[in-house]
Amino acid sequence: MNEITAAITAVGTYVPEDILTNKMLEEMVDTNDEWIFSRTGIRERRILKDPNLGTSFLAIKAAQDLIDKSGIDPKEIDLVILATVSPDLPVAATAVYVATQIGATNAFAYDLQAACSGFLYGMSTAAAYIESGKYKKIVVIGADKMSSIIDYTDRTTCIIFGDGAGAALFEPNYEGFGIQDELLRSDGIGREALKIEAGGSLMPPSEITVAKKLHYVTQDGKTVFKFAVSNMADISEQIMKRNDLTSADVDWLVAHQANKRIVGATASRMKLEDEKVLMNIERYGNTTSATLPLLLGDFEKQFKKGDNLIFATFGGGFTWGSIYLKWAYNS
């Protein structure tokens, strides 16, 4: 028997209908469309406005899209991993509820939190389960309702983030397609640079934490940008060298959509032409855990069996990494 690799065999996506444009943000904070777009590459982002719907709604929609497109029986799913920084509840894993709602009643499920690197870490986890031979069908979902943890009076963060979800089905492959290699990293030096200060065991919710808006995302933009540019570019270059890949060998860069300039710096280090760099940040902003699977969904029809994809990401913590994957099917 050939070696087992974990291949993506289907993808699904979902974004809310409501759009928050840069022009609309001009009415909310001191900013403007030209300033936002020139620095981030973002023109609009999707927002899940219904206060009665959480991240689970987004995740269920993306997973259902995957199920509908692939024709898979949900009862055949062995595991559901939900990467998110905005779970429905602090306790009671959102993934468990999602699995039940999509009919994956034979699966076990759990949440995974690695900020913007969550989906990439989830890919690695799914691959390990598949390669062990114990499980055959694993759904990894990246979903975040970032609007629930953003202060829309803070112009440094509200211009960046949006809501959305994407899902990928991982199955065993015996032809050499799927995940070939990975490099995952983290460094606690980033703990103070990008965080939600209150709501955890160090600072439980109180009237003071709510009044001081400590339950929203805050970031030191310059520090995060500096670390993201260097580390995403470095790790992507490293995985190419380790696998003897030249820029001509790489068909697509699937990079976390945090900032157009960060993605550009990574592509430049890899010596990739612009047409190989997948971008949808202009329409969605930074959807945190959802950016990578949303890229897969948006560009799936362009992928061909055997294409070499390099995934790259950077997130709070700090967390970052790169995965080299061979695409397993023609859409």
Side-chain angles (χ1 to χ4, degrees):
M1 182 180 292
N2 294 335
E3 182 181 354
I4 301 173
T5 53
I8 293 175
T9 57
V11 296
T13 61
Y14 178 78
V15 291
E17 293 181 0
D18 286 303
I19 296 173
L20 178 61
T21 66
N22 291 348
K23 288 292 185 182
M24 295 165 71
L25 282 170
E26 289 179 6
E27 305 298 318
M28 300 164 62
V29 291
D30 182 17
T31 191
N32 62 74
D33 175 61
E34 190 280 328
W35 191 93
I36 296 171
F37 184 72
S38 65
R39 285 162 176 78
T40 66
I42 303 168
R43 290 203 186 277
E44 60 187 41
R45 62 290 291 150
R46 301 299 184 96
I47 304 295
L48 182 60
K49 288 188 173 181
D50 191 333
N52 297 311
L53 298 176
T55 292
S56 63
F57 174 81
L58 301 169
I60 290 165
K61 286 285 192 179
Q64 193 60 58
D65 183 47
L66 181 154
I67 290 167
D68 292 343
K69 287 164 60 179
S70 67
I72 185 178
D73 181 351
K75 291 183 174 59
E76 294 180 357
I77 298 171
D78 298 309
L79 166 62
V80 175
I81 300 172
L82 174 61
T84 186
V85 299
S86 54
D88 286 3
L89 309 169
V91 176
T94 304
V96 176
Y97 177 71
V98 171
T100 298
Q101 291 302 111
I102 64 174
T105 51
N106 292 318
F108 69 105
Y110 58 85
D111 295 354
L112 188 156
Q113 208 280 62
C116 296
S117 301
F119 188 83
L120 191 84
Y121 282 25
M123 290 175 64
S124 170
T125 306
Y129 280 119
I130 293 288
E131 290 164 6
S132 75
K134 292 181 179 179
Y135 304 102
K136 304 296 184 184
K137 298 182 188 298
I138 298 175
V139 174
V140 181
I141 307 169
D144 272 305
K145 185 180 179 181
M146 293 303 296
S147 60
S148 68
I149 53 175
I150 295 298
D151 177 5
Y152 284 92
T153 66
D154 176 9
R155 67 176 183 174
T156 65
T157 55
C158 73
I159 66 170
I160 298 170
F161 296 98
D163 302 340
L169 175 64
F170 286 80
E171 296 186 88
N173 185 278
Y174 302 95
E175 301 176 278
F177 300 112
I179 292 180
Q180 307 295 303
D181 196 13
E182 65 177 46
L183 288 169
L184 306 181
R185 299 287 184 267
S186 63
D187 188 341
I189 194 172
R191 183 175 165 110
E192 295 301 312
L194 178 56
K195 63 182 178 180
I196 294 177
E197 193 165 2
S201 59
L202 274 178
M203 192 181 296
S206 68
E207 290 184 11
I208 294 174
T209 64
V210 172
K212 290 186 174 182
K213 297 184 176 182
L214 300 181
H215 296 269
Y216 293 122
V217 172
T218 60
Q219 70 169 359
D220 176 352
K222 289 183 179 179
T223 298
V224 173
F225 184 87
K226 181 182 72 173
F227 274 86
V229 166
S230 61
N231 286 313
M232 256 180 70
D234 286 348
I235 205 80
S236 302
E237 184 180 41
Q238 287 172 33
I239 205 161
M240 286 177 65
K241 288 182 176 178
R242 195 159 89 166
N243 291 278
D244 296 320
L245 297 172
T246 67
S247 58
D249 298 320
V250 177
D251 296 292
W252 308 102
L253 171 62
V254 188
H256 172 54
Q257 304 289 288
N259 182 295
K260 188 175 183 179
R261 292 184 292 168
I262 296 173
V263 177
T266 301
S268 178
R269 182 77 70 82
M270 298 168 69
K271 298 180 173 61
L272 294 182
E273 302 94 331
D274 289 346
E275 56 266 26
K276 292 184 175 183
V277 182
L278 305 186
M279 295 283 287
N280 60 12
I281 190 172
E282 181 173 345
R283 293 181 291 123
Y284 303 140
N286 181 351
T287 54
T288 306
S289 304
T291 65
L292 297 184
L294 280 175
L295 282 172
L296 294 180
D298 280 1
F299 293 93
E300 178 188 15
K301 291 182 179 179
Q302 296 186 38
F303 303 155
K304 295 179 178 62
K305 189 173 183 178
D307 277 0
N308 289 322
L309 279 62
I310 299 294
F311 292 78
T313 190
F314 183 87
F318 292 126
T319 61
W320 68 98
S322 183
I323 283 179
Y324 165 34
L325 175 141
K326 279 188 174 293
W327 197 249
Y329 63 96
N330 294 313
S331 297

Short mmCIF file of all heavy atoms in Angstrom, two decimals, residues 11-16 46 48 54-66 82-84 86 98 119 140-146 162-168 280 284 286-298:
data_model
loop_
_atom_site.label_atom_id
_atom_site.label_comp_id
_atom_site.label_asym_id
_atom_site.label_seq_id
_atom_site.Cartn_x
_atom_site.Cartn_y
_atom_site.Cartn_z
N VAL A 11 -14.64 21.71 -0.88
CA VAL A 11 -14.64 22.94 -0.07
C VAL A 11 -16.04 23.56 -0.09
O VAL A 11 -16.84 23.31 -1.00
CB VAL A 11 -13.61 23.98 -0.58
CG1 VAL A 11 -12.20 23.45 -0.45
CG2 VAL A 11 -13.91 24.39 -2.01
N GLY A 12 -16.31 24.37 0.92
CA GLY A 12 -17.57 25.10 1.01
C GLY A 12 -17.33 26.43 1.69
O GLY A 12 -16.39 26.56 2.48
N THR A 13 -18.16 27.42 1.38
CA THR A 13 -17.97 28.75 1.95
C THR A 13 -19.31 29.41 2.28
O THR A 13 -20.36 29.00 1.78
CB THR A 13 -17.21 29.69 0.99
OG1 THR A 13 -17.98 29.83 -0.23
CG2 THR A 13 -15.83 29.14 0.66
N TYR A 14 -19.21 30.45 3.10
CA TYR A 14 -20.39 31.29 3.37
C TYR A 14 -19.93 32.65 3.87
O TYR A 14 -19.04 32.75 4.73
CB TYR A 14 -21.31 30.67 4.42
CG TYR A 14 -22.49 31.56 4.73
CD1 TYR A 14 -23.58 31.64 3.87
CD2 TYR A 14 -22.49 32.38 5.88
CE1 TYR A 14 -24.64 32.49 4.13
CE2 TYR A 14 -23.55 33.22 6.15
CZ TYR A 14 -24.63 33.28 5.27
OH TYR A 14 -25.67 34.12 5.53
N VAL A 15 -20.53 33.70 3.32
CA VAL A 15 -20.36 35.06 3.86
C VAL A 15 -21.73 35.69 4.01
O VAL A 15 -22.63 35.44 3.20
CB VAL A 15 -19.46 35.95 2.96
CG1 VAL A 15 -18.02 35.47 2.99
CG2 VAL A 15 -19.98 36.00 1.54
N PRO A 16 -21.93 36.51 5.04
CA PRO A 16 -23.23 37.17 5.24
C PRO A 16 -23.56 38.13 4.09
O PRO A 16 -22.67 38.58 3.36
CB PRO A 16 -23.04 37.94 6.55
CG PRO A 16 -21.84 37.33 7.21
CD PRO A 16 -20.98 36.84 6.10
N ARG A 46 -17.97 41.76 4.98
CA ARG A 46 -19.32 41.26 5.26
C ARG A 46 -19.56 41.22 6.76
O ARG A 46 -18.65 40.87 7.54
CB ARG A 46 -19.51 39.86 4.66
CG ARG A 46 -19.32 39.78 3.16
CD ARG A 46 -20.31 40.65 2.40
NE ARG A 46 -20.16 40.49 0.96
CZ ARG A 46 -20.91 39.67 0.22
NH1 ARG A 46 -21.85 38.93 0.78
NH2 ARG A 46 -20.71 39.59 -1.08
N LEU A 48 -22.37 39.91 9.83
CA LEU A 48 -23.54 39.17 10.28
C LEU A 48 -24.26 40.02 11.33
O LEU A 48 -23.87 40.04 12.50
CB LEU A 48 -23.13 37.82 10.86
CG LEU A 48 -24.25 36.90 11.35
CD1 LEU A 48 -25.20 36.55 10.22
CD2 LEU A 48 -23.67 35.63 11.96
N GLY A 54 -24.64 33.55 15.83
CA GLY A 54 -23.22 33.61 16.17
C GLY A 54 -22.36 32.93 15.14
O GLY A 54 -22.79 32.63 14.01
N THR A 55 -21.13 32.65 15.53
CA THR A 55 -20.17 32.00 14.64
C THR A 55 -20.68 30.64 14.16
O THR A 55 -20.40 30.23 13.03
CB THR A 55 -18.81 31.85 15.36
OG1 THR A 55 -18.25 33.15 15.54
CG2 THR A 55 -17.85 31.00 14.57
N SER A 56 -21.45 29.95 15.00
CA SER A 56 -21.96 28.63 14.60
C SER A 56 -22.81 28.73 13.33
O SER A 56 -22.78 27.84 12.48
CB SER A 56 -22.77 28.00 15.73
OG SER A 56 -23.91 28.79 16.03
N PHE A 57 -23.57 29.81 13.20
CA PHE A 57 -24.41 30.00 12.02
C PHE A 57 -23.55 30.04 10.76
O PHE A 57 -23.85 29.39 9.75
CB PHE A 57 -25.22 31.29 12.15
CG PHE A 57 -26.01 31.65 10.92
CD1 PHE A 57 -27.23 31.04 10.68
CD2 PHE A 57 -25.54 32.58 10.01
CE1 PHE A 57 -27.98 31.36 9.54
CE2 PHE A 57 -26.26 32.91 8.87
CZ PHE A 57 -27.49 32.30 8.64
N LEU A 58 -22.45 30.80 10.81
CA LEU A 58 -21.54 30.90 9.68
C LEU A 58 -20.92 29.54 9.36
O LEU A 58 -20.84 29.13 8.20
CB LEU A 58 -20.44 31.91 10.00
CG LEU A 58 -20.86 33.35 10.33
CD1 LEU A 58 -19.67 34.13 10.87
CD2 LEU A 58 -21.43 34.03 9.10
N ALA A 59 -20.47 28.85 10.41
CA ALA A 59 -19.82 27.55 10.24
C ALA A 59 -20.77 26.52 9.65
O ALA A 59 -20.39 25.73 8.77
CB ALA A 59 -19.26 27.07 11.57
N ILE A 60 -21.99 26.49 10.14
CA ILE A 60 -23.00 25.54 9.64
C ILE A 60 -23.27 25.79 8.16
O ILE A 60 -23.34 24.86 7.35
CB ILE A 60 -24.30 25.64 10.46
CG1 ILE A 60 -24.07 25.08 11.88
CG2 ILE A 60 -25.44 24.91 9.78
CD1 ILE A 60 -25.15 25.45 12.87
N LYS A 61 -23.40 27.06 7.79
CA LYS A 61 -23.67 27.41 6.39
C LYS A 61 -22.52 26.96 5.48
O LYS A 61 -22.75 26.41 4.39
CB LYS A 61 -23.86 28.92 6.27
CG LYS A 61 -25.19 29.43 6.79
CD LYS A 61 -26.32 29.09 5.83
CE LYS A 61 -27.60 29.82 6.18
NZ LYS A 61 -28.69 29.50 5.22
N ALA A 62 -21.29 27.18 5.90
CA ALA A 62 -20.13 26.78 5.09
C ALA A 62 -20.05 25.26 4.99
O ALA A 62 -19.78 24.71 3.91
CB ALA A 62 -18.84 27.34 5.68
N ALA A 63 -20.26 24.58 6.11
CA ALA A 63 -20.21 23.11 6.10
C ALA A 63 -21.33 22.53 5.25
O ALA A 63 -21.13 21.54 4.53
CB ALA A 63 -20.29 22.59 7.53
N GLN A 64 -22.51 23.13 5.31
CA GLN A 64 -23.63 22.65 4.51
C GLN A 64 -23.36 22.85 3.02
O GLN A 64 -23.71 22.00 2.19
CB GLN A 64 -24.92 23.38 4.90
CG GLN A 64 -26.18 22.74 4.34
CD GLN A 64 -26.37 21.31 4.81
OE1 GLN A 64 -26.43 21.04 6.01
NE2 GLN A 64 -26.43 20.37 3.86
N ASP A 65 -22.70 23.96 2.68
CA ASP A 65 -22.31 24.20 1.29
C ASP A 65 -21.36 23.10 0.81
O ASP A 65 -21.49 22.59 -0.31
CB ASP A 65 -21.66 25.57 1.16
CG ASP A 65 -21.30 25.94 -0.27
OD1 ASP A 65 -22.15 25.76 -1.16
OD2 ASP A 65 -20.16 26.39 -0.50
N LEU A 66 -20.42 22.73 1.66
CA LEU A 66 -19.48 21.65 1.34
C LEU A 66 -20.23 20.33 1.13
O LEU A 66 -19.98 19.60 0.17
CB LEU A 66 -18.46 21.51 2.46
CG LEU A 66 -17.35 20.45 2.33
CD1 LEU A 66 -16.14 20.87 3.14
CD2 LEU A 66 -17.82 19.08 2.80
N LEU A 82 -13.29 23.00 14.34
CA LEU A 82 -13.69 24.38 14.07
C LEU A 82 -12.62 25.33 14.58
O LEU A 82 -12.40 25.46 15.79
CB LEU A 82 -15.03 24.71 14.74
CG LEU A 82 -15.47 26.18 14.65
CD1 LEU A 82 -15.67 26.61 13.20
CD2 LEU A 82 -16.75 26.41 15.45
N ALA A 83 -11.94 26.01 13.66
CA ALA A 83 -10.97 27.03 14.02
C ALA A 83 -11.72 28.35 14.17
O ALA A 83 -12.38 28.80 13.23
CB ALA A 83 -9.90 27.15 12.94
N THR A 84 -11.60 28.98 15.34
CA THR A 84 -12.32 30.23 15.58
C THR A 84 -11.73 30.97 16.77
O THR A 84 -11.18 30.35 17.69
CB THR A 84 -13.82 29.98 15.81
OG1 THR A 84 -14.51 31.23 15.90
CG2 THR A 84 -14.06 29.18 17.09
N SER A 86 -13.92 33.39 17.93
CA SER A 86 -15.19 33.97 18.39
C SER A 86 -16.24 32.89 18.57
O SER A 86 -17.27 32.89 17.89
CB SER A 86 -15.67 35.02 17.38
OG SER A 86 -15.75 34.46 16.07
N VAL A 98 -22.11 22.60 15.91
CA VAL A 98 -22.07 22.64 14.45
C VAL A 98 -22.19 21.22 13.88
O VAL A 98 -22.96 20.98 12.95
CB VAL A 98 -20.78 23.32 13.95
CG1 VAL A 98 -20.63 23.15 12.44
CG2 VAL A 98 -20.79 24.80 14.32
N PHE A 119 -6.97 27.96 10.96
CA PHE A 119 -7.31 27.01 9.91
C PHE A 119 -6.09 26.22 9.47
O PHE A 119 -6.16 25.02 9.22
CB PHE A 119 -7.96 27.72 8.72
CG PHE A 119 -8.50 26.76 7.69
CD1 PHE A 119 -9.75 26.19 7.86
CD2 PHE A 119 -7.76 26.43 6.57
CE1 PHE A 119 -10.26 25.29 6.92
CE2 PHE A 119 -8.26 25.53 5.63
CZ PHE A 119 -9.51 24.96 5.80
N VAL A 140 -12.63 20.42 8.31
CA VAL A 140 -12.01 21.54 9.02
C VAL A 140 -12.72 22.81 8.59
O VAL A 140 -12.82 23.10 7.39
CB VAL A 140 -10.50 21.65 8.71
CG1 VAL A 140 -9.89 22.82 9.49
CG2 VAL A 140 -9.78 20.36 9.06
N ILE A 141 -13.22 23.54 9.56
CA ILE A 141 -13.96 24.78 9.31
C ILE A 141 -13.21 25.95 9.93
O ILE A 141 -12.73 25.85 11.06
CB ILE A 141 -15.38 24.73 9.91
CG1 ILE A 141 -16.13 23.47 9.44
CG2 ILE A 141 -16.17 25.99 9.56
CD1 ILE A 141 -17.44 23.23 10.19
N GLY A 142 -13.10 27.03 9.19
CA GLY A 142 -12.61 28.29 9.75
C GLY A 142 -13.76 29.28 9.73
O GLY A 142 -14.32 29.55 8.66
N ALA A 143 -14.15 29.78 10.89
CA ALA A 143 -15.31 30.68 10.95
C ALA A 143 -15.13 31.70 12.06
O ALA A 143 -14.69 31.35 13.16
CB ALA A 143 -16.60 29.89 11.19
N ASP A 144 -15.47 32.94 11.76
CA ASP A 144 -15.41 33.98 12.79
C ASP A 144 -16.44 35.07 12.54
O ASP A 144 -16.59 35.56 11.41
CB ASP A 144 -14.02 34.61 12.86
CG ASP A 144 -13.10 33.85 13.80
OD1 ASP A 144 -13.49 33.67 14.98
OD2 ASP A 144 -12.03 33.40 13.36
N LYS A 145 -17.15 35.41 13.60
CA LYS A 145 -18.00 36.60 13.61
C LYS A 145 -17.20 37.70 14.29
O LYS A 145 -17.41 38.02 15.46
CB LYS A 145 -19.32 36.34 14.34
CG LYS A 145 -20.30 37.51 14.27
CD LYS A 145 -21.60 37.23 15.01
CE LYS A 145 -22.52 38.45 14.93
NZ LYS A 145 -23.80 38.22 15.66
N MET A 146 -16.26 38.26 13.54
CA MET A 146 -15.36 39.26 14.11
C MET A 146 -16.10 40.52 14.54
O MET A 146 -15.67 41.22 15.47
CB MET A 146 -14.26 39.62 13.10
CG MET A 146 -13.30 38.48 12.80
SD MET A 146 -12.48 37.85 14.28
CE MET A 146 -11.52 39.28 14.79
N GLY A 162 -13.81 41.39 9.10
CA GLY A 162 -15.14 41.06 8.62
C GLY A 162 -15.54 39.67 9.08
O GLY A 162 -14.76 38.96 9.72
N ASP A 163 -16.76 39.27 8.74
CA ASP A 163 -17.31 37.97 9.15
C ASP A 163 -17.36 37.02 7.96
O ASP A 163 -17.59 37.43 6.82
CB ASP A 163 -18.73 38.15 9.69
CG ASP A 163 -18.81 39.12 10.86
OD1 ASP A 163 -17.76 39.35 11.50
OD2 ASP A 163 -19.91 39.63 11.14
N GLY A 164 -17.18 35.73 8.23
CA GLY A 164 -17.27 34.74 7.16
C GLY A 164 -16.86 33.36 7.64
O GLY A 164 -16.41 33.19 8.78
N ALA A 165 -17.00 32.38 6.75
CA ALA A 165 -16.65 31.00 7.09
C ALA A 165 -16.31 30.21 5.84
O ALA A 165 -16.83 30.48 4.75
CB ALA A 165 -17.79 30.32 7.83
N GLY A 166 -15.44 29.23 6.02
CA GLY A 166 -15.10 28.31 4.94
C GLY A 166 -14.80 26.94 5.53
O GLY A 166 -14.42 26.83 6.70
N ALA A 167 -14.99 25.90 4.72
CA ALA A 167 -14.78 24.54 5.20
C ALA A 167 -14.08 23.71 4.13
O ALA A 167 -14.25 23.95 2.93
CB ALA A 167 -16.12 23.89 5.56
N ALA A 168 -13.30 22.74 4.58
CA ALA A 168 -12.62 21.82 3.66
C ALA A 168 -12.75 20.39 4.19
O ALA A 168 -12.64 20.16 5.39
CB ALA A 168 -11.14 22.19 3.51
N ASN A 280 -8.55 38.01 -2.05
CA ASN A 280 -9.96 38.43 -2.00
C ASN A 280 -10.20 39.40 -0.84
O ASN A 280 -11.34 39.65 -0.45
CB ASN A 280 -10.91 37.24 -1.92
CG ASN A 280 -10.68 36.36 -0.69
OD1 ASN A 280 -9.97 36.74 0.24
ND2 ASN A 280 -11.29 35.18 -0.68
N TYR A 284 -13.68 41.05 1.41
CA TYR A 284 -14.03 40.45 2.69
C TYR A 284 -13.29 41.04 3.90
O TYR A 284 -13.72 40.83 5.04
CB TYR A 284 -13.76 38.94 2.68
CG TYR A 284 -14.46 38.17 1.60
CD1 TYR A 284 -13.81 37.15 0.91
CD2 TYR A 284 -15.79 38.44 1.26
CE1 TYR A 284 -14.44 36.42 -0.08
CE2 TYR A 284 -16.43 37.72 0.27
CZ TYR A 284 -15.76 36.71 -0.41
OH TYR A 284 -16.39 35.99 -1.39
N ASN A 286 -10.27 41.05 6.65
CA ASN A 286 -9.63 39.96 7.39
C ASN A 286 -10.71 39.21 8.16
O ASN A 286 -11.23 39.72 9.15
CB ASN A 286 -8.57 40.53 8.34
CG ASN A 286 -7.84 39.44 9.13
OD1 ASN A 286 -8.22 38.29 9.11
ND2 ASN A 286 -6.79 39.84 9.83
N THR A 287 -11.03 38.00 7.73
CA THR A 287 -12.03 37.18 8.41
C THR A 287 -11.39 36.18 9.37
O THR A 287 -12.01 35.19 9.76
CB THR A 287 -12.90 36.42 7.38
OG1 THR A 287 -12.05 35.69 6.50
CG2 THR A 287 -13.75 37.39 6.56
N THR A 288 -10.16 36.44 9.74
CA THR A 288 -9.40 35.67 10.74
C THR A 288 -9.32 34.19 10.35
O THR A 288 -8.63 33.85 9.42
CB THR A 288 -9.98 35.90 12.14
OG1 THR A 288 -10.02 37.33 12.39
CG2 THR A 288 -9.13 35.30 13.23
N SER A 289 -10.02 33.32 11.04
CA SER A 289 -9.90 31.88 10.78
C SER A 289 -10.46 31.48 9.42
O SER A 289 -10.17 30.38 8.93
CB SER A 289 -10.63 31.08 11.86
OG SER A 289 -10.17 31.41 13.15
N ALA A 290 -11.26 32.34 8.80
CA ALA A 290 -11.95 31.97 7.56
C ALA A 290 -11.20 32.36 6.29
O ALA A 290 -11.61 31.96 5.20
CB ALA A 290 -13.34 32.61 7.54
N THR A 291 -10.10 33.12 6.39
CA THR A 291 -9.51 33.66 5.16
C THR A 291 -9.00 32.56 4.21
O THR A 291 -9.23 32.63 3.00
CB THR A 291 -8.36 34.64 5.45
OG1 THR A 291 -7.27 33.96 6.07
CG2 THR A 291 -8.81 35.79 6.33
N LEU A 292 -8.32 31.56 4.74
CA LEU A 292 -7.75 30.52 3.86
C LEU A 292 -8.84 29.71 3.16
O LEU A 292 -8.79 29.54 1.93
CB LEU A 292 -6.81 29.61 4.64
CG LEU A 292 -5.55 30.26 5.23
CD1 LEU A 292 -4.66 29.21 5.89
CD2 LEU A 292 -4.76 31.03 4.18
N PRO A 293 -9.84 29.19 3.89
CA PRO A 293 -10.87 28.42 3.17
C PRO A 293 -11.73 29.28 2.25
O PRO A 293 -12.24 28.77 1.24
CB PRO A 293 -11.70 27.79 4.29
CG PRO A 293 -11.47 28.65 5.48
CD PRO A 293 -10.05 29.13 5.35
N LEU A 294 -11.91 30.57 2.56
CA LEU A 294 -12.64 31.44 1.64
C LEU A 294 -11.86 31.61 0.32
O LEU A 294 -12.46 31.66 -0.76
CB LEU A 294 -12.90 32.80 2.27
CG LEU A 294 -14.08 32.89 3.24
CD1 LEU A 294 -14.14 34.28 3.88
CD2 LEU A 294 -15.40 32.58 2.53
N LEU A 295 -10.54 31.68 0.41
CA LEU A 295 -9.72 31.72 -0.80
C LEU A 295 -9.90 30.44 -1.62
O LEU A 295 -10.05 30.49 -2.84
CB LEU A 295 -8.24 31.90 -0.45
CG LEU A 295 -7.77 33.29 -0.08
CD1 LEU A 295 -6.33 33.23 0.42
CD2 LEU A 295 -7.87 34.26 -1.25
N LEU A 296 -9.89 29.29 -0.94
CA LEU A 296 -10.07 28.03 -1.64
C LEU A 296 -11.41 28.00 -2.36
O LEU A 296 -11.50 27.55 -3.51
CB LEU A 296 -9.98 26.86 -0.66
CG LEU A 296 -8.62 26.60 0.01
CD1 LEU A 296 -8.72 25.41 0.95
CD2 LEU A 296 -7.54 26.36 -1.04
N GLY A 297 -12.45 28.47 -1.69
CA GLY A 297 -13.77 28.47 -2.31
C GLY A 297 -13.87 29.41 -3.49
O GLY A 297 -14.45 29.07 -4.53
N ASP A 298 -13.28 30.59 -3.35
CA ASP A 298 -13.37 31.59 -4.42
C ASP A 298 -12.58 31.20 -5.67
O ASP A 298 -12.95 31.57 -6.78
CB ASP A 298 -12.87 32.95 -3.92
CG ASP A 298 -13.92 33.68 -3.09
OD1 ASP A 298 -15.02 33.13 -2.90
OD2 ASP A 298 -13.64 34.81 -2.64
#
